[in-house]
Amino acid sequence: MTEVCKEEFGTAVGPVEKWTLRSASVCVEIISLGCVIKSITTEDRSGQSADLVLGYDDLEGYLSNSRYFGAVVGRVANRIAKGRFVIDEKEYKLAINNGPNALHGGLKGFDKAVWTTEAVDNGVKLRHSSPGGDEGYPGNLNACVTYTLEKNTLSVLYHAQTDHTTPINLTNHSYFNLAGQGSPDIYDHEVTISAESYLPVDDTMIPTGEVKSVEKTLFDLRKPVLLGSRLKELPGPGFDHNFCLCSPGEPPLERKCARVVHPGTGCVLEVSTTQPGVQFYTSNFLDGTLKGKGGAAYSKHSAFCLETQNWPDAVNQPHFPDALLRPGETYTHTTCFTFSVV
């Protein structure tokens, strides 16, 4: 059984709670501000405990949290080109907050909200209501995220319903370092992503529309790849790309999508999801100015993200998986993070 307890973490718009989920092998802390995963602590092969995710010690850091450490982002994660989309011949305009594009739900997305909470078996359920017009999005949306910890697997279940057709794309933006948060880089991590194709992007990080095979490219991560050497070969600052886990129109079956190993500690992270894509991001825009837990300076390539989600800008690209949620439908996706040692 998983031990579940809550305590007060501080006050933002209202009280912010911290929930702790503890199994025999893993301890996860979640705060109600931004539905944030604050920490994931587990033991390496030598029995040493480490916190594997970046973040802050106190509430003050999360009140700004410009890099979305651990947060659930929405209403639409990732980028929407030029902050515009059309539904039923009506154009909607969003805040531009990432170059010429809209990113992660806007200026005050789901990561800035204080979610309501309730205990469930082995975990916690968090809810947030986003009114029509919130950050420019149509329709009243009720979102629910449930975190459960069973043995060494953290499961994240997303649900949402709306009264007006709206785009939706929810994900968790945890930054991992399997050597422990505060370690200087991820160059000694070995990464596998089970994807046959990926989405090339333009110079503003919007997909060009091409779905490209990873075969004979630097994006072929189907067999374990040492990140340090691959990042040296890769043009640009690093990975910030969607890897396609299925074809548009395929049913949302749960599939293993990624495995990351840190040979030095033996720590392993395996990710499975029902989502059609995973955004692999190597913290290219961290620059050492943010001070996190224990005063650690988070620098470029000091962590990686595996953001399971729909393909970026899908609302504007008809041949991508459907990004719209309609009245009477329920948005449902699951992602599982499993921790082990080798």
Side-chain angles (χ1 to χ4, degrees):
M1 283 293 292
T2 298
E3 178 189 344
V4 179
C5 60
K6 74 170 179 176
E7 61 191 278
E8 189 170 315
F9 189 60
T11 303
V13 181
V16 176
E17 297 169 350
K18 182 177 79 172
W19 288 74
T20 302
L21 318 181
R22 189 185 306 274
S23 71
S25 56
V26 180
C27 181
V28 179
E29 292 180 325
I30 292 145
I31 62 172
S32 57
L33 174 65
C35 217
V36 161
I37 296 175
K38 180 183 180 294
S39 69
I40 300 176
T41 304
T42 188
E43 291 184 354
D44 65 16
R45 75 159 73 90
S46 65
Q48 295 292 312
S49 290
D51 181 358
L52 305 184
V53 292
L54 276 56
Y56 301 101
D57 289 318
D58 52 34
L59 180 60
E60 187 176 355
Y62 290 105
L63 290 174
S64 53
N65 200 11
S66 60
R67 295 301 178 190
Y68 308 95
F69 292 139
V72 167
V73 288
R75 189 176 296 197
V76 175
N78 217 309
R79 296 170 178 87
I80 294 178
K82 299 181 174 58
R84 297 183 176 198
F85 59 88
V86 175
I87 297 177
D88 297 333
E89 300 182 353
K90 180 178 179 180
E91 183 179 60
Y92 295 88
K93 297 181 181 179
L94 311 172
I96 303 301
N97 62 339
N98 184 257
N101 306 313
L103 177 71
H104 290 336
L107 301 176
K108 195 175 180 183
F110 288 9
D111 60 296
K112 302 292 192 295
V114 176
W115 296 53
T116 61
T117 66
E118 64 176 288
V120 297
D121 288 347
N122 300 317
V124 59
K125 178 181 288 188
L126 300 99
R127 299 179 189 275
H128 174 57
S129 295
S130 171
D134 187 16
E135 288 294 324
Y137 289 97
N140 298 298
L141 184 86
N142 293 316
C144 173
V145 177
T146 304
Y147 293 108
T148 56
L149 178 64
E150 297 184 66
K151 296 182 179 177
N152 59 338
T153 296
L154 175 65
S155 300
V156 191
L157 175 61
Y158 302 90
H159 280 117
Q161 293 180 314
T162 183
D163 62 1
H164 190 290
T165 301
T166 181
I168 185 171
N169 188 21
L170 302 179
T171 193
N172 181 277
H173 207 306
S174 286
Y175 289 68
F176 294 93
N177 187 314
L178 300 186
Q181 73 82 29
S183 299
D185 59 62
I186 48 171
Y187 299 145
D188 54 356
H189 287 50
E190 295 176 351
V191 176
T192 309
I193 297 180
S194 304
E196 305 289 326
S197 55
Y198 78 101
L199 300 181
V201 293
D202 64 19
D203 57 4
T204 73
M205 304 307 294
I206 293 292
T208 63
E210 179 185 9
V211 181
K212 187 171 183 177
S213 170
V214 299
E215 187 77 33
K216 297 180 180 177
T217 75
L218 295 173
F219 294 86
D220 190 350
L221 305 178
R222 292 173 294 180
K223 294 180 179 177
V225 167
L226 187 65
L227 262 181
S229 54
R230 183 57 56 95
L231 285 168
K232 285 180 182 176
E233 296 178 84
L234 196 70
F239 288 101
D240 191 5
H241 297 77
N242 178 81
F243 286 77
C244 307
L245 304 177
C246 65
S247 300
E250 280 189 36
L253 301 175
E254 187 169 340
R255 52 180 68 79
K256 292 182 178 179
C257 69
R259 184 175 191 264
V260 186
V261 180
H262 182 248
T265 60
C267 286
V268 180
L269 168 63
E270 294 174 290
V271 183
S272 63
T273 188
T274 59
Q275 288 277 19
V278 58
Q279 186 86 2
F280 180 45
Y281 173 57
T282 48
S283 59
N284 312 323
F285 303 112
L286 296 181
D287 58 9
T289 57
L290 288 178
K291 298 296 188 290
K293 300 172 194 172
Y298 294 146
S299 56
K300 181 180 178 180
H301 298 162
S302 61
F304 65 90
C305 303
L306 289 165
E307 304 161 61
T308 55
Q309 56 184 273
N310 199 354
W311 301 1
D313 197 39
V315 70
N316 289 316
Q317 309 220 21
H319 60 295
F320 283 8
D322 187 11
L324 297 180
L325 178 66
R326 299 162 183 85
E329 298 176 345
T330 299
Y331 173 92
T332 304
H333 279 290
T334 303
T335 295
C336 296
F337 302 93
T338 299
F339 304 90
S340 59
V341 293
V342 292

